[in-house]
Amino acid sequence: MQNSLFARGLALTSIGAILVGAAVAAPAVADPAADQYGQLRIFGSDTTQDVMQGLANAVNTAADENLLANYLAVGSLTVQIDAGGTMAPRANGSSAGRDFLRVAIGQTATANVARPGGAGNTIAVGSDAIGKIDVARSSSGPGANAAANGVLAYVPFAKDALTMAVKDGSPLAVVPWYIGKGEDTTSKPNLAAVYKGSVKYAYVAGSVGSYTYVGVGPDATLPVDAPEGTVAYQLRPVLPQAGSGTRSYFIVDVLGLADNNTSIPAEIRSASIVIDGTTYSVQEHDGTVMGLDQTVIGPFSIGQYVAFANNAPGVTDRRNGAVLLPLKATEGATAAEPYVTVGDGPLVKANPAFTAATRNVFNIVPSRLLDDPSTLIHEVFYGSTSLLCEQTATIELYGFLPIGSECGDDSIRAYAPTADNTSTVTWTPPTAIEVGASTSVEVVVDSKVHRQGGTVRILNGDTVVGQAAVAPHVATATATVQVPVTVTTDATSASLRAVFIPTLPGIVGSQTAVASVPVSAPTASFVSTKSTATIGGVMTVVGWVTGAEGGTVELWDGATRLQAYTLDEGENGFGFRVTAAKLSYAFQVRYVPPTGSNLAPSSSVERPVTVAKATPTIKASAATVSAGTRGKVKVTVAAINGVTPTGRVEVYRGSTRVGSGTLSRGAVTITLSSIPRGTHTLSVRYLGDTKFNAVRTTARFVVR
């Protein structure tokens, strides 16, 4: 009998040669060896602990490095996870692994994590969970926690099937069980009715090896037509421990009952059973309680059972005398065997034709890391060609069914963001930015749960133009950082936003609104000329602009614009010609960029120039006059390059001043006082002004 063969725990020594084409060494230790701590730590479901152990070994071998460290759901209460001696709680079950992961990545602050041995070993975890788990095994989907924008991703990798297990040789093995989802009856072998307590007895005639099914009922009263020797066996249905993915799947999805529905009797919900005076906890996929009592019946993973039967590497056989039963979904369906022989045996594999209760099994990972192609999470779990999904032979060896293109599907998300796990970021955007120059921007963040900080990036569109790390800020609600920003663009403005990426992948990132910030490309203006000049002299003042692309270069004297020149393409400067018309200048070159350009205006430093007074040319002439007539002297003090002398002119005969006048436009006619007859040489003296030196000349003056 096939079930009896499995119950004896037959050792299968040709697993590798038959199924994966290689000899198999002795089973490996359950948890990773002390010197083989992986980069990704995996806890959770009992259902998938063994197949994930096999897959971890296969992936690590293929990658030639310890990428995955898979920790079983059963065993010691804590496990060492690194060479430094860090200890982590052994999460026992899908919910325990999931909640351990949720706390570790900051999706929630605290959780109670179930460990082996029942409720008394549950432990609360908080910030001490950070870094201790990266992946959670789960034998069930997200259920009511499903959310399209969830921070966790449930990534399927295989299909499992669930059936019922009883003790080898149990009279319950001949009962034609069917699921009967949502049904409630007292007279049919309906599992939903069994777990609601409506069907409590199975009526079976005969003895071991020749049992015959008679019927079921709510009490020990045998049917009136029951054959002689019929026995009413009181059913003892059990459920695995609370938090088990199998428990949730079996109650809700298989039986169609509400999870932990109070219509399920308390003794069944308790996940414990008393046998011969001893209380036993019911661990999922462990046949201990079935092997001790022939009336115990409970759900069991076909995948786990096949792995036990195949003596798959790293697996501890926990059948303990239990065997699996054929099962059908409805009363009228045909029951399918849970497993089939591979070739001539003795290997077995899950029966693809068994469809009464099947489910995908999952690895739960942070959504952000799954979506990021640069992460190890993405490489191992994302898509049907991922490192994990490529190991189909290992999946079958451990009793599960490959799921083809469904493997690595990234569409199932859970745990929508909340205010508690959504970070915040605020900032003061710069008022302006110069291309190529570093501008410091202040950013304030709250990294929320566990406050482990993260990274702030300043983006111009989708281009990172600044980045700074945010250290953990456990003692303060927020952290403030200065982010150096450097922009390179031809545009006149930058569309800047601050983005915060939390360290913990369970914290939702945040970003500010986009700020339009004026951007200017740097230019530099220079001025060059001699430091001295003379009134009326022409100075060459060179204005030069580095970085100019068109635009106007202007020459200023203090607050007065003197000249301007429009630069052609390729020009960077211009030589201005300035006639010295005052005694000092403060030359400055200013650059005005062309309209629509992102070039920055610029100004040179002032260049002082000292101007010396000029010595003008003076001419004087006087016409001959008759005695008694007052003569006149015409005086011209010549302008120099348009700079015209001003001031007084005096005329002397000897030491006597005989006339004076004020220049107008550089000339003056002076009427002389009375001068006696004779020929006189007059001294004509220009007294100078602020720009011109004093000069003199003579004029011949005749009085007849």
Side-chain angles (χ1 to χ4, degrees):
M1 179 177 175
Q2 191 179 53
N3 285 346
S4 297
L5 175 69
F6 286 175
R8 289 195 297 270
L10 180 66
L12 305 176
T13 58
S14 58
I15 297 169
I18 295 175
L19 199 58
V20 296
V24 173
V29 294
D31 293 323
D35 60 346
Q36 295 179 359
Y37 303 109
Q39 297 178 39
L40 298 179
R41 298 162 182 143
I42 308 171
F43 290 84
S45 170
D46 178 297
T47 303
T48 61
Q49 65 175 10
D50 293 324
V51 65
M52 280 303 298
Q53 183 75 2
L55 288 170
N57 291 337
V59 167
N60 292 346
T61 299
D64 196 27
E65 60 178 317
N66 293 324
L67 300 181
L68 307 181
N70 182 69
Y71 295 90
L72 303 189
V74 292
S76 58
L77 295 180
T78 59
V79 293
Q80 183 174 336
I81 59 173
D82 60 30
T86 303
M87 304 300 291
R90 187 186 295 278
N92 180 22
S94 298
S95 296
R98 175 202 65 200
D99 292 343
F100 188 14
L101 178 63
R102 289 172 59 210
V103 176
I105 66 173
Q107 189 275 332
T108 188
T110 60
N112 293 322
V113 173
R115 298 185 295 175
N121 289 328
T122 296
I123 187 172
V125 295
S127 59
D128 56 323
I130 296 171
K132 293 183 177 180
I133 177 175
D134 303 286
V135 181
R137 302 184 300 266
S138 181
S139 59
S140 58
N145 296 313
N149 62 340
V151 299
L152 291 179
Y154 280 65
V155 187
F157 70 93
K159 186 180 292 294
D160 184 28
L162 200 67
T163 190
M164 305 306 291
V166 296
K167 181 178 182 178
D168 186 22
S170 167
L172 304 186
V174 299
V175 178
W177 300 108
Y178 72 96
I179 293 172
K181 184 175 182 178
E183 293 183 24
D184 192 6
T185 177
T186 60
S187 60
K188 296 180 180 181
N190 176 325
L191 290 174
V194 169
Y195 276 85
K196 292 184 71 172
S198 300
V199 171
K200 296 183 178 180
Y201 287 83
Y203 312 130
V204 179
S207 58
V208 176
S210 60
Y211 285 124
T212 301
Y213 171 68
V214 176
V216 296
D219 53 41
T221 304
L222 296 175
V224 295
D225 57 350
E228 185 177 350
T230 298
V231 176
Y233 294 96
Q234 185 174 4
L235 302 175
R236 304 194 73 188
V238 294
L239 289 169
Q241 78 279 7
S244 157
T246 296
R247 175 188 176 112
S248 174
Y249 169 72
F250 181 67
I251 293 174
V252 177
D253 297 297
V254 176
L255 301 182
L257 307 176
D259 196 4
N260 288 323
N261 192 318
T262 54
S263 64
I264 299 176
E267 63 270 20
I268 301 176
R269 298 199 315 269
S270 69
S272 64
I273 188 170
V274 178
I275 300 175
D276 295 333
T278 300
T279 300
Y280 294 88
S281 295
V282 181
Q283 177 69 37
E284 61 181 326
H285 320 311
D286 185 325
T288 297
V289 295
M290 291 86 168
L292 292 173
D293 187 330
Q294 67 176 0
T295 61
V296 174
I297 184 171
F300 208 108
S301 162
I302 295 174
Q304 281 274 269
Y305 199 94
V306 168
F308 299 154
N310 285 341
N311 195 26
V315 172
T316 299
D317 187 352
R318 292 183 289 132
R319 289 172 293 175
N320 297 320
V323 294
L324 301 186
L325 304 180
L327 188 62
K328 53 188 178 180
T330 60
E331 184 179 16
T334 300
E337 293 293 335
Y339 45 80
V340 293
T341 302
V342 177
D344 294 330
L347 287 174
V348 295
K349 67 177 182 179
N351 183 6
F354 183 95
T355 59
T358 61
R359 56 178 173 171
N360 282 349
V361 288
F362 306 87
N363 287 303
I364 307 174
V365 297
S367 296
R368 190 211 303 171
L369 300 183
L370 183 67
D371 294 338
D372 184 350
S374 69
T375 66
L376 182 57
I377 290 280
H378 182 93
E379 182 181 1
V380 172
F381 298 101
Y382 179 86
S384 59
T385 59
S386 63
L387 293 178
L388 197 76
C389 291
E390 289 179 338
Q391 313 302 325
T392 54
T394 300
I395 290 173
E396 287 188 317
L397 174 63
Y398 283 81
F400 291 79
L401 294 172
I403 54 176
S405 61
E406 281 188 83
C407 189
D409 174 49
D410 67 336
S411 65
I412 304 173
R413 304 296 170 101
Y415 292 95
T418 67
D420 290 336
N421 59 30
T422 299
S423 64
T424 63
V425 57
T426 58
W427 71 327
T428 303
T431 55
I433 288 181
E434 185 177 278
V435 172
S438 179
T439 302
S440 183
V441 177
E442 183 173 277
V443 180
V444 180
V445 302
D446 180 355
S447 57
K448 291 300 176 83
V449 179
H450 306 321
R451 294 194 170 120
Q452 291 299 293
T455 301
V456 169
R457 290 177 180 166
I458 307 299
L459 276 70
N460 179 20
D462 293 324
T463 302
V464 177
V465 294
Q467 180 169 302
V470 180
H473 54 106
V474 177
T476 58
T478 60
T480 301
V481 293
Q482 297 294 327
V483 185
V485 174
T486 303
V487 172
T488 302
T489 178
D490 292 331
T492 58
S493 65
S495 298
L496 299 184
R497 56 194 166 105
V499 176
F500 176 58
I501 305 167
T503 296
L504 298 182
I507 305 296
V508 180
S510 52
Q511 61 180 317
T512 65
V514 174
S516 182
V517 179
V519 174
S520 58
T523 63
S525 296
F526 304 92
V527 63
S528 175
T529 189
K530 292 181 178 180
S531 60
T532 60
T534 302
I535 288 291
V538 177
M539 299 176 287
T540 299
V541 183
V542 176
W544 186 267
V545 183
T546 300
E549 295 178 10
T552 302
V553 57
E554 299 177 338
L555 178 63
W556 288 70
D557 173 30
T560 303
R561 192 178 83 156
L562 301 180
Q563 299 178 45
Y565 176 77
T566 300
L567 297 171
D568 290 332
E569 184 177 354
E571 289 185 327
N572 290 94
F574 182 72
F576 296 98
R577 293 176 63 82
V578 179
T579 299
K582 60 178 186 173
L583 296 180
S584 66
Y585 286 87
F587 288 127
Q588 183 185 54
V589 168
R590 300 181 186 179
Y591 175 64
V592 180
T595 302
S597 167
N598 75 330
L599 296 176
S602 58
S603 300
S604 72
V605 297
E606 289 188 343
R607 169 71 167 173
V609 176
T610 301
V611 179
K613 289 184 177 183
T615 300
T617 299
I618 184 171
K619 294 181 179 180
S621 64
T624 299
V625 298
S626 300
T629 302
R630 297 176 68 180
K632 293 183 179 181
V633 178
K634 292 182 178 180
V635 182
T636 300
V637 182
I640 302 176
N641 287 327
V643 183
T644 303
T646 62
R648 301 281 294 173
V649 176
E650 296 179 342
V651 180
Y652 286 82
R653 184 173 70 87
S655 61
T656 302
R657 188 175 71 180
V658 294
S660 65
T662 300
L663 291 175
S664 174
R665 298 182 180 179
V668 63
T669 298
I670 300 172
T671 301
L672 303 175
S673 59
S674 180
I675 296 176
R677 284 190 179 93
T679 299
H680 306 277
T681 299
L682 302 178
S683 175
V684 181
R685 303 173 185 179
Y686 169 58
L687 302 183
D689 61 11
T690 58
K691 302 176 184 178
F692 290 91
N693 293 316
V695 292
R696 63 179 62 184
T697 188
T698 60
R700 183 173 178 272
F701 179 51
V702 178
V703 180
R704 292 178 181 172

